[in-house]
Amino acid sequence: MASIELRNVTKSWHGNQHSVRNVNLHIRDGEFVIFLGPSGCGKSTTLRMIAGLESITEGTLLIDGRDVSHVAPRDRNIAVVFQSYALYPHMTVAENMAFGLKMRGVPQSTINSKVAESAALLGLDKLLNRKPAALSGGQRQRVALGRAIVREPQAFLLDEPLSNLDAQLRGEMRSELIKLHRRLGKTMIYVTHDQVEAMTMADRICIMRDGHLVQCGTPLEVYNYPVNTFVARFLSSPPVNLLGGRVQGSGSALSVQLSDGPVIPLPDWMAEDYRHLAGREMTLGIRPEDFHSHPRSADGIPLTLTVSRIEALGAENIVSGSLGGVDVVVRLDHHTHPKVGAPLPVYLDPHSLHLFHPESGEVVSRRRAPDDPVFTADEVQK
Ligand SMILES: Nc1ncnc2c1ncn2[C@@H]1O[C@H](COP(=O)(O)OP(=O)(O)OP(=O)(O)O)[C@@H](O)[C@H]1O
Ligand SMILES: [Mg+2]
């Protein structure tokens, strides 16, 4: 059991340099929470404060309702796995995994059975007598995890544990970690700046910027309903197109006139929510993947893209170009065959548009799209 609660947690250095500012977050027992954000935004510092490796300047940290703000790391019963696995090079896999238990005076027979159990769970049983130098990156990562698991902590904190691995191994380890979380049912907090890891692994993603928690929600909530342009940009690759324009209305219809570009009509349900914006300058957010080579619905908006650059990735094409003078990036399936300099018909899904205030970048909130399935963390099959 371990729920983890941060109340107004702040970390500052030398009195005025802040790494983490006023973070409030309640992590439920057994939840898989991911801290996502650019380099230097305070992810590791937050994790280290939860583990007790860094003091909390202001605020309170509660584990299962108990104030542990000033409790020593060893008394918090939380295991941390770092990016640099920090294995002892002169010890075998088994000795590395056993080390923490040995130091605590756990009887050898108990150690042996726990090491064997974790090794079987992680597929390390045949490697127990090897030294770290004779292991692959993925195997070393598993040993680091095994060393954490044998301690039977009440929560795991993982700081970019997969960032040293190549793309394929990362993918494999990702699914292994998801399975592991399901089997152990323990609270896990995982730090990454990889949006694919965040979207595929998390029950809840917490996006950080400059020490602040910007938004927390299920992966689809933060993807579909970003609170500002920062979140929208972070959860999209290539980044979301942010286009300046003016909202204009006539009768019940509403559209956005892009600066020096085409007019984008808004669907009726969105027009109701955005009518009060008529006449105002706004930033329109369109994700590259919301353009299609064929209309997905009767109200797909037909547009013509003049192609300037093509990145053929095999399964899809990332195409840069101009929509009547407005530069955009679109993501199309590999069945489209764009040519540089040539016009390409594309269709925009109008239900996935976002409007942001041009100065603050905050989203103008709207209701959910009518056919949008609302996934809760429990419903998404991991
Ligand atoms: N001991 C320290 N003294 C002063 N500033 C620090 C210290 N440790 C971290 N910082 C600063 O705090 C900020 C947050 O650092 P942190 O390591 O938490 O970032 P991060 O989000 O984990 O970044 P990355 O993705 O690069 O690992 C950074 O600006 C960093 O320079
Ligand atoms: Mg870090």
Side-chain angles (χ1 to χ4, degrees):
M1 279 286 289
S3 66
I4 296 173
E5 190 177 351
L6 289 87
R7 286 191 192 158
N8 300 312
V9 168
T10 292
K11 177 72 190 180
S12 54
W13 317 95
H14 323 299
N16 56 358
Q17 275 174 279
H18 287 79
S19 290
V20 175
R21 294 162 193 259
N22 220 21
V23 166
N24 284 290
L25 178 64
H26 191 158
I27 297 168
R28 294 185 292 274
D29 177 40
E31 202 176 5
F32 196 134
V33 167
I34 286 194
F35 289 155
L36 180 69
S39 186
C41 71
K43 305 179 297 291
S44 297
T45 307
T46 308
L47 210 67
R48 292 172 64 81
M49 284 192 285
I50 296 171
L53 302 172
E54 209 70 77
S55 65
I56 295 173
T57 314
E58 277 172 56
T60 314
L61 174 76
L62 300 116
I63 297 182
D64 282 336
R66 184 170 77 101
D67 184 348
V68 295
S69 312
H70 304 290
V71 168
R74 65 177 175 280
D75 298 325
R76 296 189 189 191
N77 196 16
I78 283 179
V80 190
V81 179
F82 295 107
Q83 169 185 1
S84 60
Y85 322 126
L87 301 178
Y88 299 109
H90 58 286
M91 292 186 193
T92 64
V93 167
E95 286 162 351
N96 263 287
M97 286 169 70
F99 186 73
L101 299 180
K102 216 169 184 167
M103 294 307 285
R104 278 198 243 158
V106 175
Q108 193 60 45
S109 58
T110 313
I111 294 180
N112 291 346
S113 67
K114 285 192 176 181
V115 168
E117 203 179 307
S118 305
L121 186 69
L122 294 164
L124 289 170
D125 16 8
K126 298 200 170 56
L127 305 173
L128 285 170
N129 295 320
R130 291 224 196 139
K131 299 258 173 75
L135 298 175
S136 72
Q139 290 165 340
R140 278 180 217 169
Q141 183 56 66
R142 264 180 245 153
V143 178
L145 272 171
R147 196 170 48 178
I149 292 169
V150 293
R151 288 179 42 199
E152 297 181 357
Q154 47 180 349
F156 291 85
L157 309 183
L158 303 115
D159 196 348
E160 309 215 28
L162 307 186
S163 56
N164 286 343
L165 308 180
D166 65 41
Q168 188 178 344
L169 211 47
R170 278 175 89 116
E172 287 168 20
M173 284 301 293
R174 228 169 28 222
S175 17
E176 284 188 27
L177 275 171
I178 293 169
K179 276 192 231 151
L180 194 67
H181 175 247
R182 222 184 279 145
R183 270 197 243 172
L184 300 174
K186 296 280 173 75
T187 311
M188 290 195 180
I189 309 179
Y190 186 105
V191 165
T192 183
H193 44 236
D194 182 318
Q195 55 140 339
V196 176
E197 276 178 21
M199 290 299 293
T200 54
M201 298 171 84
D203 290 325
R204 217 155 31 123
I205 299 178
C206 294
I207 294 152
M208 293 188 73
R209 180 191 200 182
D210 295 338
H212 292 282
L213 215 51
V214 184
Q215 185 173 9
C216 269
T218 64
L220 289 176
E221 266 166 15
V222 289
Y223 178 82
N224 288 328
Y225 303 96
V227 295
N228 57 25
T229 49
F230 175 79
V231 175
R233 246 194 321 248
F234 213 82
L235 286 177
S236 181
S237 175
V240 63
N241 296 291
L242 296 171
L243 313 173
R246 183 183 293 277
V247 179
Q248 56 186 26
S250 63
S252 62
L254 205 67
S255 57
V256 180
Q257 165 75 61
L258 296 181
S259 317
D260 303 322
V263 173
I264 309 290
L266 300 178
D268 292 349
W269 65 270
M270 217 185 267
E272 275 177 45
D273 293 2
Y274 285 156
R275 179 144 307 117
H276 64 289
L277 299 174
R280 294 192 32 200
E281 297 284 338
M282 283 287 143
T283 299
L284 183 66
I286 313 177
R287 286 212 159 88
E289 54 269 37
D290 290 325
F291 290 94
H292 306 290
S293 50
H294 299 283
R296 293 273 169 104
S297 58
D299 54 2
I301 303 165
L303 295 163
T304 303
L305 183 75
T306 305
V307 177
S308 59
R309 183 161 182 257
I310 303 157
E311 285 173 86
L313 301 181
E316 58 191 15
N317 293 318
I318 309 293
V319 184
S320 309
S322 161
L323 287 178
V326 177
D327 289 339
V328 294
V329 176
V330 309
R331 204 164 144 179
L332 303 172
D333 62 60
H334 67 289
H335 300 296
T336 26
H337 300 287
K339 287 197 176 57
V340 171
L344 179 74
V346 291
Y347 297 85
L348 173 60
D349 174 6
H351 298 284
S352 45
L353 298 173
H354 301 268
L355 280 184
F356 300 100
H357 291 286
E359 293 89 29
S360 66
E362 299 295 313
V363 76
V364 185
S365 63
R366 59 163 167 84
R367 75 188 85 167
R368 289 176 185 270
D371 58 350
D372 179 17
V374 181
F375 294 113
T376 64
D378 301 334
E379 287 166 335
V380 179
Q381 287 297 310
K382 287 202 293 173

